[in-house]
Amino acid sequence: MRTRQFLATFGVGALFGSAVLLTLSGHDLDLLYLRLTERQTQIAQLKEDNEKLQAKLSTIEKSNVRKIQKISVIVVASPDEFIKLAVQKEVKKRLKRLVGSNIKLFEENPDIFIEFLNERQFRITDHVVSITVKHVVIGETTTIFIEASKEAGTSLTHTPSLTPEP
């Protein structure tokens, strides 16, 4: 009888211990399952983001057209600040239509800027100003370095203008 009681007590204890262990393990398993679900959601979101970026990259690679976004004109030497600003404004105005152009064209023919601008003359107030292109840096922001000089004996007696000399 004693062995039966021992076996019954042992069986009830084992069942009770298993139930407690199952409850504690179940809680841990629920937490692990929750983390697994969160990670799977993150992976799905990252895969979706990756696909969007891959599609955008392939579109960019297909077009692969770099364009001039901005033209910067730097006057490195000029007779005075007024002439410097006027020349800078006029050259920027003349080159404004090149914004949005394909950079490759200018990389293959870098002398285009020099041929277009070098030795160009402008009337500024009562003087004729000649410009010389010193350097051109071609990129999305194309920078042109210019030197401006007053022509000797070119004092004019008419109203100020910024029109090019013929």
Side-chain angles (χ1 to χ4, degrees):
M1 171 96 172
R2 221 170 147 90
T3 29
R4 278 186 163 179
Q5 187 181 7
F6 174 76
L7 288 174
T9 306
F10 179 76
V12 170
L15 285 174
F16 181 73
S18 297
V20 169
L21 206 68
L22 184 63
T23 304
L24 293 175
S25 317
H27 179 65
D28 290 342
L29 286 175
D30 286 343
L31 289 176
L32 289 174
Y33 181 74
L34 180 64
R35 286 185 187 160
L36 176 66
T37 306
E38 287 174 353
R39 297 301 182 254
Q40 287 174 336
T41 304
Q42 287 176 345
I43 289 171
Q45 181 65 42
L46 289 172
K47 282 182 180 179
E48 183 180 324
D49 292 346
N50 186 26
E51 289 171 5
K52 287 179 183 177
L53 290 172
Q54 289 293 338
K56 186 176 180 181
L57 179 63
S58 68
T59 303
I60 289 172
E61 286 177 348
K62 286 178 185 174
S63 65
N64 200 16
V65 176
R66 293 178 23 225
K67 297 186 179 212
I68 294 176
Q69 302 295 324
K70 178 182 174 186
I71 294 180
S72 176
V73 178
I74 299 173
V75 181
V76 292
S78 70
D80 61 42
E81 288 299 311
F82 175 74
I83 291 174
K84 178 180 180 178
L85 292 174
V87 166
Q88 190 176 28
K89 182 179 177 182
E90 183 65 20
V91 171
K92 261 187 166 179
K93 184 178 102 179
R94 289 177 180 269
L95 296 178
K96 186 169 78 172
R97 63 180 162 217
L98 296 179
V99 172
S101 299
N102 189 346
I103 291 177
K104 190 173 183 178
L105 170 72
F106 299 105
E107 287 175 339
E108 292 171 355
N109 304 305
D111 293 337
I112 289 176
F113 290 103
I114 295 170
E115 291 171 5
F116 182 70
L117 294 173
N118 211 26
E119 302 302 322
R120 181 70 61 131
Q121 293 182 339
F122 301 103
R123 279 191 205 140
I124 298 175
T125 62
D126 58 347
H127 303 286
V128 174
V129 177
S130 178
I131 62 170
T132 305
V133 177
K134 290 299 181 184
H135 307 284
V136 177
V137 179
I138 298 172
E140 288 184 3
T141 299
T142 298
T143 306
I144 302 167
F145 296 88
I146 293 176
E147 186 176 283
S149 59
K150 254 195 276 188
E151 293 295 316
T154 58
S155 182
L156 302 173
T157 58
H158 60 76
T159 58
S161 68
L162 275 175
T163 56
E165 285 292 309

